[in-house]
Amino acid sequence: MKKEKNLRVFLYVVTILSLIYTCFTLFQAYATFTSYYANMAYSFGDVFVYVLSSCYAPLCFTIIFYVMIAALDIWCAHVENALMPGQVRLEEDAKKAAREQFEDEKDLVKGEKELARDVVKKNKENIDDLAKDQKEAARKDEKLEEKEIDQQERDDIKATREIEKEAEK
């Protein structure tokens, strides 16, 4: 179908150029007729016949190119609809699937962003929990050390008292 599209573009360009040339020859023929027969009486029919006879070839080519474009359009429509209906449907299905995949990819990217945000948030929470646990563990260690120090001081005091008692005896 790409070749037909290129052919269609080429025919449009040629048709437009032919139309421009036809208009140019039409105005030239009219200018020639009016300047040549300036001093004579002439009717609209005389001008029309002279202009038509002067512009006949370019006008025919313009019409032929336009008909070729119309025939190409009809032929392409016939080929697309009659000969390859499955192909056209497959192309439409492929385009639809591509659009859906693009939307799915958008959703996937959005989901990945949300997941990344959730992971970051969860990591922050885990770090905060870990810091709290470490602080609590440090406090417990300090309390245990204080208890151990108190116990040791008590033992020392008891030992000192026992020594004093023995010394008094």
Side-chain angles (χ1 to χ4, degrees):
M1 290 289 131
K2 189 173 183 174
K3 291 179 183 178
E4 287 81 4
K5 189 173 185 179
N6 292 340
L7 180 61
R8 184 178 295 136
V9 169
F10 173 74
L11 285 174
Y12 275 120
V13 168
V14 170
T15 303
I16 289 170
L17 291 175
S18 179
L19 186 62
I20 291 169
Y21 180 70
T22 303
C23 290
F24 172 74
T25 56
L26 180 101
F27 289 121
Q28 282 297 110
Y30 179 75
T32 303
F33 184 84
T34 55
S35 66
Y36 186 73
Y37 296 106
N39 296 331
M40 298 183 182
Y42 52 86
S43 68
F44 175 74
D46 296 332
V47 175
F48 182 74
V49 169
Y50 180 78
V51 169
L52 186 62
S53 64
S54 297
C55 299
Y56 181 73
L59 184 63
C60 287
F61 279 116
T62 302
I63 292 170
I64 288 170
F65 288 133
Y66 183 75
V67 168
M68 288 172 64
I69 291 172
L72 182 66
D73 288 341
I74 292 169
W75 181 76
C76 287
H78 175 71
V79 167
E80 287 176 358
N81 293 332
L83 299 178
M84 297 187 299
Q87 177 84 17
V88 173
R89 288 188 195 111
L90 287 175
E91 289 176 2
E92 291 173 358
D93 291 343
K95 287 179 183 177
K96 184 177 179 181
R99 273 190 239 111
E100 289 175 358
Q101 182 180 1
F102 183 69
E103 290 173 1
D104 291 343
E105 287 177 3
K106 281 184 177 177
D107 293 340
L108 183 64
V109 168
K110 189 185 290 183
E112 287 175 353
K113 287 180 181 178
E114 290 176 5
L115 184 62
R117 277 190 235 124
D118 291 343
V119 166
V120 168
K121 186 177 179 181
K122 196 70 162 170
N123 285 342
K124 286 181 181 178
E125 290 174 0
N126 288 341
I127 290 171
D128 291 342
D129 290 343
L130 182 63
K132 287 178 185 177
D133 291 343
Q134 286 178 347
K135 286 180 182 178
E136 287 179 19
R139 286 183 196 142
K140 287 180 182 178
D141 288 343
E142 287 176 5
K143 287 181 182 179
L144 286 175
E145 285 179 11
E146 288 175 5
K147 285 182 182 178
E148 287 177 5
I149 290 173
D150 289 341
Q151 184 67 31
Q152 192 175 16
E153 286 177 0
R154 287 183 200 150
D155 291 342
D156 288 342
I157 292 171
K158 283 183 186 177
T160 309
R161 285 185 188 161
E162 287 177 8
I163 295 173
E164 288 174 0
K165 284 183 185 177
E166 286 178 15
E168 288 177 5
K169 287 185 192 178

